[in-house]
Coordinates of all heavy atoms in Angstrom, one line a residue:
L281 N 110.6 70.7 77.1 CA 109.3 70.9 77.9 C 109.4 72.1 78.8 O 108.4 72.9 78.9 CB 109.1 69.6 78.7 CG 108.6 68.4 78.0 CD1 108.6 67.2 78.9 CD2 107.2 68.6 77.4
M282 N 110.5 72.4 79.4 CA 110.6 73.6 80.2 C 110.5 74.8 79.4 O 109.8 75.8 79.8 CB 112.0 73.6 81.0 CG 112.1 72.6 82.1 SD 111.0 72.8 83.5 CE 111.7 74.3 84.2
T283 N 111.1 74.8 78.2 CA 110.9 76.0 77.3 C 109.5 76.1 76.8 O 108.9 77.2 76.8 CB 111.8 75.8 76.1 OG1 113.2 75.7 76.5 CG2 111.7 77.0 75.1
A284 N 108.8 75.0 76.6 CA 107.4 75.0 76.1 C 106.5 75.8 77.1 O 105.7 76.6 76.7 CB 106.9 73.6 75.8
F285 N 106.7 75.5 78.4 CA 105.8 76.1 79.4 C 106.2 77.5 79.7 O 105.4 78.3 80.2 CB 105.7 75.2 80.6 CG 104.8 74.0 80.4 CD1 105.4 72.7 80.1 CD2 103.5 74.1 80.4 CE1 104.6 71.6 79.9 CE2 102.6 73.0 80.1 CZ 103.2 71.8 79.9
R286 N 107.5 77.8 79.4 CA 107.9 79.2 79.5 C 107.1 80.1 78.5 O 106.8 81.2 78.7 CB 109.4 79.4 79.4 CG 110.2 79.0 80.6 CD 111.7 79.2 80.3 NE 112.5 78.6 81.4 CZ 113.8 78.6 81.4 NH1 114.5 79.2 80.4 NH2 114.5 78.0 82.4
T287 N 107.0 79.5 77.3 CA 106.3 80.2 76.2 C 104.8 80.5 76.6 O 104.1 81.3 76.0 CB 106.4 79.5 74.9 OG1 105.7 78.2 75.0 CG2 107.8 79.2 74.5
I288 N 104.2 79.7 77.5 CA 102.9 79.8 77.9 C 102.8 80.9 79.0 O 102.0 81.8 79.1 CB 102.3 78.5 78.4 CG1 102.3 77.5 77.3 CG2 100.8 78.7 78.9 CD1 101.5 77.8 76.1
F289 N 103.7 80.7 80.0 CA 103.7 81.6 81.2 C 104.0 83.0 80.9 O 103.3 83.9 81.3 CB 104.7 81.1 82.2 CG 104.8 81.9 83.5 CD1 104.0 81.5 84.6 CD2 105.6 83.0 83.6 CE1 104.0 82.2 85.8 CE2 105.6 83.8 84.8 CZ 104.8 83.4 85.9
Q290 N 105.1 83.3 80.1 CA 105.6 84.7 79.9 C 104.6 85.6 79.3 O 104.4 86.7 79.8 CB 106.9 84.7 79.2 CG 107.8 85.9 79.5 CD 108.1 86.0 81.0 OE1 108.2 85.0 81.7 NE2 108.2 87.3 81.5
P291 N 104.0 85.3 78.1 CA 103.0 86.2 77.5 C 101.8 86.4 78.5 O 101.3 87.6 78.5 CB 102.5 85.5 76.2 CG 103.6 84.5 75.9 CD 104.2 84.1 77.2
A292 N 101.4 85.4 79.2 CA 100.2 85.6 80.1 C 100.6 86.5 81.2 O 99.9 87.4 81.6 CB 99.8 84.2 80.7
F293 N 101.9 86.4 81.8 CA 102.3 87.3 82.8 C 102.4 88.7 82.3 O 101.9 89.6 83.0 CB 103.7 86.8 83.3 CG 104.4 87.7 84.3 CD1 104.1 87.6 85.7 CD2 105.3 88.7 83.9 CE1 104.6 88.5 86.6 CE2 105.9 89.5 84.8 CZ 105.5 89.4 86.2
Q294 N 103.1 88.9 81.2 CA 103.2 90.3 80.6 C 101.9 90.9 80.3 O 101.7 92.1 80.5 CB 104.2 90.2 79.4 CG 105.6 89.9 79.8 CD 106.5 89.6 78.6 OE1 106.1 88.9 77.6 NE2 107.7 90.2 78.6
A295 N 101.0 90.1 79.7 CA 99.7 90.7 79.4 C 98.9 91.0 80.6 O 98.0 91.9 80.6 CB 98.9 89.7 78.5
A296 N 99.1 90.3 81.8 CA 98.4 90.6 83.0 C 98.8 91.8 83.7 O 98.0 92.4 84.5 CB 98.5 89.4 83.9
V297 N 100.1 92.2 83.5 CA 100.6 93.4 84.3 C 99.8 94.6 84.2 O 99.5 95.3 85.2 CB 102.1 93.6 84.0 CG1 102.6 94.9 84.6 CG2 103.0 92.4 84.4
P298 N 99.4 95.1 83.0 CA 98.7 96.4 82.9 C 97.3 96.3 83.6 O 96.8 97.4 84.1 CB 98.4 96.6 81.4 CG 99.5 95.8 80.8 CD 99.7 94.6 81.7
S299 N 96.7 95.1 83.8 CA 95.4 95.0 84.5 C 95.6 95.0 86.0 O 94.6 95.0 86.7 CB 94.7 93.8 84.0 OG 95.4 92.6 84.3
L300 N 96.8 94.9 86.5 CA 97.0 94.8 87.9 C 97.6 96.0 88.5 O 97.7 96.1 89.8 CB 98.0 93.6 88.2 CG 97.5 92.2 87.8 CD1 98.6 91.2 88.1 CD2 96.2 91.8 88.6
V301 N 98.0 97.0 87.7 CA 98.6 98.3 88.2 C 97.9 99.4 87.5 O 97.3 99.3 86.4 CB 100.1 98.3 88.0 CG1 100.8 97.2 88.7 CG2 100.4 98.3 86.5
S302 N 97.9 100.6 88.2 CA 97.4 101.8 87.6 C 98.3 102.3 86.4 O 99.5 101.9 86.4 CB 97.2 102.9 88.6 OG 98.5 103.1 89.3
A303 N 97.8 103.1 85.5 CA 98.5 103.5 84.3 C 99.8 104.2 84.7 O 100.8 104.0 84.1 CB 97.6 104.3 83.5
Q304 N 99.7 105.1 85.8 CA 100.9 105.9 86.1 C 102.0 105.0 86.8 O 103.2 105.4 86.8 CB 100.5 107.0 87.1 CG 100.0 106.6 88.4 CD 98.4 106.5 88.4 OE1 97.8 106.2 87.4 NE2 97.8 106.7 89.6
N305 N 101.6 103.8 87.3 CA 102.6 102.9 87.9 C 103.1 101.9 86.9 O 104.0 101.1 87.3 CB 102.0 102.2 89.1 CG 101.8 103.1 90.3 OD1 102.5 104.2 90.4 ND2 101.0 102.7 91.2
L306 N 102.7 101.9 85.7 CA 103.1 100.8 84.7 C 104.6 100.9 84.5 O 105.2 99.8 84.5 CB 102.3 101.0 83.4 CG 102.6 99.9 82.4 CD1 102.3 98.5 82.9 CD2 101.7 100.2 81.1
P307 N 105.2 102.0 84.2 CA 106.7 102.0 84.0 C 107.4 101.5 85.2 O 108.4 100.7 85.1 CB 107.0 103.5 83.8 CG 105.7 104.1 83.2 CD 104.6 103.4 84.0
T308 N 107.0 101.9 86.4 CA 107.6 101.4 87.7 C 107.4 99.9 87.8 O 108.3 99.2 88.2 CB 107.0 102.1 88.9 OG1 107.1 103.5 88.7 CG2 107.7 101.7 90.2
A309 N 106.2 99.4 87.4 CA 106.0 97.9 87.4 C 106.9 97.2 86.5 O 107.4 96.1 86.8 CB 104.5 97.6 87.1
N310 N 107.1 97.8 85.3 CA 108.0 97.1 84.3 C 109.5 97.2 84.8 O 110.2 96.2 84.6 CB 108.0 97.9 83.0 CG 106.7 97.6 82.2 OD1 106.1 96.5 82.3 ND2 106.2 98.6 81.5
A311 N 109.8 98.3 85.5 CA 111.2 98.3 86.1 C 111.3 97.2 87.2 O 112.3 96.6 87.3 CB 111.4 99.7 86.7
A312 N 110.3 97.1 88.0 CA 110.3 96.1 89.1 C 110.4 94.7 88.5 O 111.1 93.8 89.0 CB 109.1 96.2 90.0
T313 N 109.7 94.5 87.4 CA 109.7 93.2 86.7 C 111.1 92.9 86.2 O 111.6 91.7 86.3 CB 108.7 93.1 85.6 OG1 107.4 93.4 86.1 CG2 108.7 91.8 84.9
Q314 N 111.8 93.9 85.6 CA 113.1 93.7 85.1 C 114.1 93.5 86.3 O 115.0 92.6 86.2 CB 113.6 95.0 84.4 CG 115.0 94.9 83.8 CD 115.3 93.7 82.9 OE1 114.4 93.2 82.3 NE2 116.5 93.3 82.9
I315 N 113.9 94.2 87.4 CA 114.8 94.0 88.6 C 114.6 92.5 89.1 O 115.6 91.9 89.4 CB 114.4 95.0 89.7 CG1 114.8 96.4 89.3 CG2 115.1 94.6 91.0 CD1 114.2 97.5 90.2
V316 N 113.4 92.1 89.1 CA 113.2 90.7 89.6 C 113.8 89.7 88.6 O 114.4 88.7 89.1 CB 111.6 90.4 89.7 CG1 111.3 89.0 89.6 CG2 111.1 91.1 90.9
A317 N 113.7 89.9 87.3 CA 114.3 89.0 86.4 C 115.9 89.0 86.5 O 116.5 87.9 86.5 CB 114.0 89.5 84.9
E318 N 116.5 90.1 86.7 CA 117.9 90.2 86.9 C 118.3 89.6 88.2 O 119.3 88.8 88.3 CB 118.4 91.6 86.8 CG 118.3 92.3 85.4 CD 119.2 91.7 84.4 OE1 120.1 91.0 84.8 OE2 118.9 91.9 83.2
A319 N 117.5 89.9 89.3 CA 117.9 89.4 90.6 C 117.7 87.9 90.6 O 118.5 87.2 91.2 CB 117.0 90.0 91.7
G320 N 116.7 87.4 90.0 CA 116.5 85.9 89.9 C 117.6 85.2 89.2 O 118.1 84.2 89.6
G321 N 118.1 85.9 88.1 CA 119.2 85.3 87.3 C 120.5 85.4 88.1 O 121.4 84.6 87.9
L322 N 120.6 86.4 89.0 CA 121.8 86.5 89.8 C 121.8 85.5 91.0 O 122.8 84.9 91.3 CB 121.9 88.0 90.3 CG 123.1 88.4 91.1 CD1 124.4 88.3 90.2 CD2 123.0 89.8 91.6
V323 N 120.6 85.4 91.6 CA 120.5 84.6 92.8 C 120.4 83.1 92.5 O 121.0 82.3 93.1 CB 119.3 85.0 93.6 CG1 119.0 84.0 94.8 CG2 119.4 86.4 94.2
G324 N 119.7 82.8 91.4 CA 119.4 81.4 91.0 C 120.7 80.5 90.9 O 120.8 79.5 91.7
P325 N 121.6 80.8 90.0 CA 122.8 80.0 89.9 C 123.6 79.9 91.2 O 124.1 78.8 91.5 CB 123.6 80.7 88.8 CG 122.6 81.4 88.0 CD 121.6 81.9 89.0
G326 N 123.7 81.1 91.9 CA 124.5 81.0 93.1 C 123.8 80.2 94.2 O 124.5 79.4 94.9

């Protein structure tokens, strides 16, 4: 069930990003998203 709802959340999140930032900031936004993913994976288990 947790995996099922991840499959719903993630495409919606990724598809929403370009509509929330300007074109020139899109690479930076993707970098920030990756930083958040890594930081969450680092902080969560600890």
Side-chain angles (χ1 to χ4, degrees):
L281 286 171
M282 290 295 288
T283 300
F285 285 101
R286 284 182 190 178
T287 65
I288 301 298
F289 181 93
Q290 206 56 35
F293 174 85
Q294 291 171 315
V297 171
S299 63
L300 297 176
V301 299
S302 56
Q304 63 268 27
N305 285 342
L306 184 57
T308 305
N310 288 327
T313 301
Q314 177 59 27
I315 291 169
V316 160
E318 294 292 343
L322 186 64
V323 171

